[in-house]
Amino acid sequence: QSQIDLLERTDSNIKIPANLDYATVFHGITKEEHQSLTKVKPTSLLQLQRMPGIRPPTMIKIIHHVVNRKSRKARRDERVY
């Protein structure tokens, strides 16, 4: 239930990088999820949420990866100035 709550509270406009390699970044996703994600290559959380067969735990992994990636990039950018 807490995973579903997190998905509902997360901004659905979060952008997912087009070059995201689902095979190397996310351990524990099913073969079917990997195939579907690789074929569709969702570009936003909203598109990801609408994909059939993608489990909430997989969505959470992708959200965490994207948000953490943005945070790391922001910290790097702050150090440059």
Side-chain angles (χ1 to χ4, degrees), residues 31-60:
K31 181 178 179 181
E32 291 79 13
E33 287 175 316
H34 178 262
Q35 290 172 341
S36 182
L37 289 165
T38 302
K39 181 179 179 183
V40 174
K41 296 187 181 195
T43 57
S44 70
L45 178 56
L46 182 61
Q47 187 179 7
L48 175 68
Q49 290 173 321
R50 292 181 175 172
M51 288 180 65
I54 305 299
R55 301 169 301 142
T58 299
M59 290 182 199
I60 298 297

Side-chain angles (χ1 to χ4, degrees), residues 3-80:
Q3 290 178 339
I4 293 171
D5 292 341
L6 177 62
L7 287 173
E8 290 174 353
R9 289 190 317 260
T10 303
D11 180 7
S12 61
N13 292 318
I14 289 176
K15 299 297 179 202
I16 300 173
N19 63 348
L20 189 58
D21 183 1
Y22 297 99
T24 58
V25 175
F26 307 109
H27 303 286
I29 68 172
T30 66
K31 181 178 179 181
E32 291 79 13
E33 287 175 316
H34 178 262
Q35 290 172 341
S36 182
L37 289 165
T38 302
K39 181 179 179 183
V40 174
K41 296 187 181 195
T43 57
S44 70
L45 178 56
L46 182 61
Q47 187 179 7
L48 175 68
Q49 290 173 321
R50 292 181 175 172
M51 288 180 65
I54 305 299
R55 301 169 301 142
T58 299
M59 290 182 199
I60 298 297
K61 288 178 183 182
I62 295 170
I63 291 168
H64 281 277
H65 177 77
V66 171
V67 169
N68 287 338
R69 183 176 172 173
K70 287 172 80 173
S71 296
R72 286 190 304 271
K73 183 180 181 330
R75 285 193 300 268
R76 277 196 313 268
D77 291 347
E78 286 174 3
R79 286 183 275 187
V80 170

